[in-house]
Amino acid sequence: MCGIVGYVGKKDAVEVLLEGLKKLEYRGYDSAGIAVIIDKELHIRRSVGKLCNLEENLAKNPLSISARIGIGHTRWATHGRPSEENAHPHTDSTKNIGIVHNGIIENYVELRSKLEKNGKNFKSETDTEVIAHLIKKHYNNNLLNAVQKTLSELGGSYALGIICMNEPDKILCARHNAPLIIGVGKGENFIASDILALLPYTREMIFLENGDIAEITADKIVIKDIKDNNITTREIKSVRWDAMQAKKDGYKHFMLKEIFEQPRTIEDTFRGRIYPDEGKVHIEEVKLKEKDIKKISNIYIVACGTSYHSALVSKFLFENFTRIPTEVDIASEFRYRAPILNENILVVVISQSGETADTLAALRFAKSRNCQTLAVCNVVGSTMSREAMYVIYTYCGPEIGVASTKAFTGQLTILYILALDWAYKRETLAKNELKTYLKELWEVPVKISKFLKNTEFVNDIAKLFAHKRDFLYLGRHVNHPVALEGALKLKEISYIHAEGYAAGEMKHGPIALVDESMPIVVIAVKSKVYEKIISNIEEAKARGATIIAVANESDKEIKHKSDHVIYVPKTDEFVSPLITVVPLQLLAYYIAVLLGRDIDQPRNLAKSVTVE
Ligand code: F6R
C-alpha cells in the first residue's frame, strides 16, 4: 500500500528519494514526505496529496545543503485521514528519530495510551508515531538495540525505514509481513518497498524476510535476526526488469501502454514454455511429476480483484481439461470459511504483486493445512513467490497503472498452459487436442495486435456512453468472469457504477434495472453458449436496453441484434477471454479519459494492498 524509500551514499539524497517516490506513487498517493539528516540535524518535509505537492513544498522550503542520507514515504491512509500531520516520516518529541512505515501496528492504541500516560505528546492520529516514541524511549546510544526492543513490543505488520541524528550515517530497516528490499550499490545503498524504486540505480537486490533487521551504511549491509541478534546471510539477486520498462514510452498513461503491451507480454509469458508443433509444454518451475499431478484431488484457486477474475476463468480450464474439481475463493474470505484441506489438495494463489495481504494469508493458511501450494506472480522475489512451494512467473514486466490489465492476460496465459499440460499428463487430453489448443494460444498475440491496430471506434462508442450513470456487463461460461472484469475496470477508473452478471441470471432479478438509459455490454463471441447469449440480448433489447456487443468478425448477424458491435478476431472459446477482455479494458480507459479521471491513480485505490 504505502511506499518506502531510503538512501545513503554520495548522491543528493533528496533527488534519489523523490525519484524513488515517483516510482512508488502508484502504491498510495494521499500524502508524501521525506526526512534527511544534514549536520546531525533531522529535516522533514511533508505534504498532503500527490508527490508534486511535496516537490512544490521543497521548492518553497529548500534544504540549506544537499543531504547524503534520508528516507521517504508515499501514503495510502489506514489510521488517520490524509493530512500533513499524519503524513510520514514521523518523529519522536525531540525530533531525533525519523521513521517511515508500511503496515499496521495492531496494538498501537494500547501502546499510545501507555506513552501518553508517561507524558508523550502525539502529533498525529497514526499507528506509526508510537514506533518513533518507543525507539526514543529505548535509545541508549545504540539505534539497533533501541529498534530491536521496540519491535519486540509491536503487534501487526511493518516494513520500516529509520534514521537517527545521533547515528547520521546509517539507515535501519526491518520487516514483518510487509515487503522490503535493499538495493545494493557501490559506495551507496538503498531501501524500498518495491523493485521499481531501485531500478534506476541498481538491479542487485536483497529481498528481506520476515524477522530481518538490517543496518545499512554507504559501504556495508548487515542483516540480523530481530530476536536473537544473529547475523543472517541473504542472497543478492539480480533482477531482470529494466528501468525503461517503467516508463510511459510516449503513451499518455501507463494503463494505455500496458493494454497495448499485451501481445508482447502474453508471448513473453508463453515463449519457451509451449511448443505447439510438437504438442509439448515445458514448465520448469513446477517440479511435480506425472504421478504427483495424478494425485491432486482438488484445486483451490485464491486471489483478489482482477486476479480473482482470472482465477474464475481458470476454474473452467482446470475442470474442463484436467477434470480436477476446482474451487475459486476470494482471498479475504478463504481462511474464514473453514475450507476442507489436506495434502492432496493444491492451492493456487494468483497475484500480480505477490504481496496482497489477504492472498498471502490464504497461502500461509493453505501451508499450515499441509496443502501443496503454487503461486502465479508477476513481481520477481515477491513474498508469495518465495513462500509458495512452486512459483510460475508471468513475464509482463512492471505493471504501474493501478487498474490491472496485462497482468490479467499474463495470468490467464499461465493458467491455460498449466491446465493443458496437466490434462495431457492426466490423460484427459489427447496429444492432437493439446497441439490444437497450444496453437490457438500461440496465435493470440497476433490476433490482439490486429485488434489494437484500430481502436478509434472503441473511443467513438465511449463518447456515446461516457455520461451514463450505470452499466451492465454480461457474459456466459468463460466470458462471465470477463464481464466481471470489464465492470471492475469501468468502476475503478471512471467511477461509473457497473455490474457484471452471468447473462442467464438476468431474468432472476437484474433485468428489473433495464430501461432505455441502460447500456449493456455483452460478450457474444462464438461458443457453445452463443445462441443462449443471443436470447439474453433479445430479452434486454425488448426492455429498451442499448446493446454494445463484443463479437467475432465473422458474425454477420450480430449487428442486427445489437446497437453497437466491437469486432474481435475469432479464437477457441477457452482462449477467448484473452482477447475479449482487451476491448473492455479500452472502453473503460476511453470513458475515464473523457471524464477527465486520474487514469493511473484512481481515487481511493492503491496498486498493492498489503494490509488486510
Ligand atoms: C484491479 C486491480 C486489483 C488487483 C487486486 C489484487 O484493476 O488491480 O483488483 O487485481 O488488488 O492484486 P494482486 O494481483 O497484486 O494480488
Side-chain angles (χ1 to χ4, degrees):
M1 314 243 37
C2 307
I4 288 178
V5 284
Y7 174 74
V8 52
K10 291 189 184 62
K11 294 194 173 81
D12 181 342
V14 174
E15 269 174 31
V16 178
L17 296 176
L18 288 176
E19 197 50 41
L21 290 179
K22 269 182 208 154
K23 299 284 182 314
L24 294 183
E25 204 178 10
Y26 76 111
R27 293 180 71 99
Y29 30 83
D30 59 44
S31 54
I34 57 161
V36 295
I37 300 176
I38 299 174
D39 288 339
K40 295 200 171 177
E41 209 183 311
L42 197 68
H43 298 262
I44 294 184
R45 301 284 186 275
R46 302 183 295 187
S47 296
V48 182
K50 296 220 169 179
L51 197 60
C52 52
N53 297 349
L54 177 65
E55 287 177 307
E56 264 175 42
N57 179 349
L58 274 155
K60 278 191 206 142
N61 307 292
L63 297 162
S64 52
I65 51 165
S66 298
R68 306 291 165 212
I69 182 166
I71 49 178
H73 189 269
T74 171
R75 179 168 187 248
W76 188 86
T78 55
H79 292 67
R81 77 215 132 83
S83 67
E84 196 176 319
E85 303 76 57
N86 290 335
H88 299 217
H90 290 285
T91 54
D92 64 297
S93 329
T94 56
K95 268 183 102 184
N96 251 264
I97 285 144
I99 166 168
V100 288
H101 168 219
N102 176 23
I104 293 179
I105 302 307
E106 283 163 3
N107 56 342
Y108 87 101
V109 176
E110 183 194 322
L111 293 170
R112 180 174 174 140
S113 84
K114 265 196 214 155
L115 286 160
E116 280 175 331
K117 271 187 203 133
N118 289 331
K120 291 282 173 265
N121 250 331
F122 276 73
K123 290 182 229 83
S124 77
E125 303 155 319
T126 65
D127 51 336
T128 303
E129 197 184 333
V130 294
I131 308 176
H133 290 293
L134 284 173
I135 296 174
K136 176 68 180 128
K137 183 179 129 194
H138 294 304
Y139 189 75
N140 190 5
N141 295 323
N142 187 329
L143 183 62
L144 179 66
N145 250 327
V147 175
Q148 272 168 324
K149 279 190 187 141
T150 301
L151 297 182
S152 69
E153 294 177 56
L154 302 182
S157 58
Y158 52 78
L160 291 168
I162 303 156
I163 50 175
C164 170
M165 66 184 210
N166 297 345
E167 299 179 40
D169 60 344
K170 69 173 73 140
I171 303 177
L172 267 173
C173 65
R175 100 154 243 177
H176 181 67
N177 285 345
L180 196 56
I181 304 164
I182 299 175
V184 183
K186 291 199 174 74
E188 58 182 359
N189 286 309
F190 309 78
I191 62 165
S193 38
D194 195 310
I195 293 173
L196 290 180
L198 304 175
L199 283 179
Y201 307 103
T202 178
R203 291 209 208 164
E204 305 300 297
M205 305 193 190
I206 299 173
F207 296 88
L208 291 182
E209 304 272 350
N210 279 346
D212 285 352
I213 185 166
E215 207 171 15
I216 301 167
T217 60
D219 306 304
K220 209 168 166 195
I221 297 167
V222 180
I223 304 172
K224 291 186 168 172
D225 185 300
I226 289 173
K227 287 207 181 96
D228 60 22
N229 211 20
N230 285 338
I231 292 195
T232 316
T233 317
R234 298 268 173 248
E235 192 190 340
I236 300 179
K237 294 206 168 121
S238 238
V239 172
R240 234 171 72 147
W241 289 1
D242 76 55
M244 277 313 289
Q245 287 177 301
K247 299 216 159 118
K248 279 191 203 149
D249 256 355
Y251 286 92
K252 203 165 160 210
H253 298 102
F254 278 112
M255 182 180 178
L256 189 64
K257 177 188 172 215
E258 288 159 6
I259 292 172
F260 274 80
E261 272 179 331
Q262 289 177 109
R264 187 184 52 73
T265 51
I266 292 171
E267 195 176 328
D268 284 352
T269 299
F270 70 54
R271 203 188 304 123
R273 286 172 167 155
I274 64 167
Y275 302 88
D277 292 339
E278 295 154 55
K280 225 180 82 188
V281 174
H282 178 67
I283 307 175
E284 204 186 347
E285 302 89 328
V286 180
K287 306 267 182 252
L288 285 173
K289 303 215 169 69
E290 247 170 73
K291 69 172 186 358
D292 303 320
I293 295 167
K294 283 184 176 155
K295 263 200 222 147
I296 298 172
S297 65
N298 300 72
I299 299 176
Y300 284 77
I301 313 179
V302 191
C304 298
T306 291
S307 299
Y308 171 69
H309 296 154
S310 75
L312 288 175
V313 176
S314 69
K315 172 181 167 71
F316 289 90
L317 308 178
F318 282 112
E319 292 200 330
N320 183 72
F321 294 126
T322 68
R323 309 305 296 154
I324 304 175
T326 302
E327 291 202 38
V328 179
D329 274 79
I330 293 176
S332 54
E333 295 291 325
F334 183 63
R335 60 200 187 284
Y336 300 113
R337 74 166 178 88
I340 299 158
L341 300 172
N342 60 48
E343 68 281 4
N344 293 324
I345 289 177
L346 172 75
V347 174
V348 181
V349 290
I350 307 177
S351 175
Q352 187 284 130
S353 60
E355 302 292 352
T356 301
D358 283 312
T359 314
L360 183 58
L363 170 65
R364 289 177 180 159
F365 181 80
K367 282 172 72 176
S368 74
R369 297 294 186 280
N370 300 323
C371 297
Q372 303 176 63
T373 55
L374 164 68
V376 178
C377 294
N378 188 45
V379 177
V380 179
S382 53
T383 310
M384 279 179 232
S385 73
R386 283 179 286 127
E387 294 196 9
M389 218 176 233
Y390 309 106
V391 55
I392 311 184
Y393 286 114
T394 53
Y395 293 133
C396 297
E399 190 181 62
I400 294 167
V402 163
S404 186
T405 52
K406 61 178 178 173
F408 177 77
T409 46
Q411 292 161 354
L412 286 185
T413 304
I414 293 290
L415 296 160
Y416 184 76
I417 300 174
L418 204 62
L420 291 177
D421 182 40
W422 289 2
Y424 179 66
K425 290 180 174 148
R426 286 172 69 99
E427 296 165 50
T428 50
L429 189 75
K431 186 81 165 186
N432 59 337
E433 292 174 299
L434 176 62
K435 281 187 186 174
T436 310
Y437 283 120
L438 291 178
K439 271 198 188 111
E440 287 285 350
L441 179 61
W442 193 266
E443 286 164 10
V444 164
V446 174
K447 289 179 180 171
I448 298 180
S449 296
K450 186 173 166 218
F451 171 77
L452 288 173
K453 280 213 169 87
N454 177 15
T455 56
E456 202 35 50
F457 70 100
V458 183
N459 199 9
D460 291 341
I461 295 176
K463 284 180 195 152
L464 296 174
F465 296 101
H467 62 285
K468 293 286 181 185
R469 231 189 51 187
D470 307 281
F471 269 72
L472 275 180
Y473 284 73
L474 303 181
R476 298 187 79 122
H477 193 246
V478 280
N479 278 304
H480 166 223
V482 178
L484 301 181
E485 176 59 9
L488 176 62
K489 287 289 89 85
L490 188 69
K491 276 187 264 219
E492 64 184 333
I493 59 167
S494 73
Y495 319 145
I496 293 174
H497 169 243
E499 301 270 1
Y501 268 100
E505 269 293 288
M506 280 296 283
K507 42 183 147 345
H508 301 287
I511 202 159
L513 293 169
V514 174
D515 62 16
E516 289 75 18
S517 65
M518 177 72 85
I520 308 189
V521 180
V522 188
I523 304 155
V525 287
K526 291 284 175 168
S527 71
K528 61 166 122 4
V529 291
Y530 178 74
E531 299 304 333
K532 305 264 180 249
I533 201 120
I534 294 296
S535 306
N536 300 135
I537 291 179
E538 309 264 17
E539 289 157 11
K541 272 231 69 76
R543 273 116 191 133
T546 308
I547 304 290
I548 304 161
V550 175
N552 289 134
E553 291 157 341
S554 52
D555 189 342
K556 301 288 175 250
E557 287 307 303
I558 193 83
K559 63 173 181 289
H560 305 300
K561 312 264 178 215
S562 36
D563 301 275
H564 306 275
V565 187
I566 303 176
Y567 288 106
V568 292
K570 189 166 183 321
T571 182
D572 174 77
E573 61 180 305
F574 286 101
V575 192
S576 65
L578 280 164
I579 297 184
T580 53
V581 75
V582 180
L584 305 193
Q585 296 167 341
L586 273 173
L587 184 64
Y589 171 80
Y590 287 130
I591 289 177
V593 169
L594 287 164
L595 294 174
R597 305 295 192 227
D598 190 340
I599 306 288
D600 286 331
Q601 294 174 350
R603 70 182 180 203
N604 303 341
L605 296 178
K607 182 72 183 161
S608 175
V609 183
T610 52
V611 292
E612 285 178 31

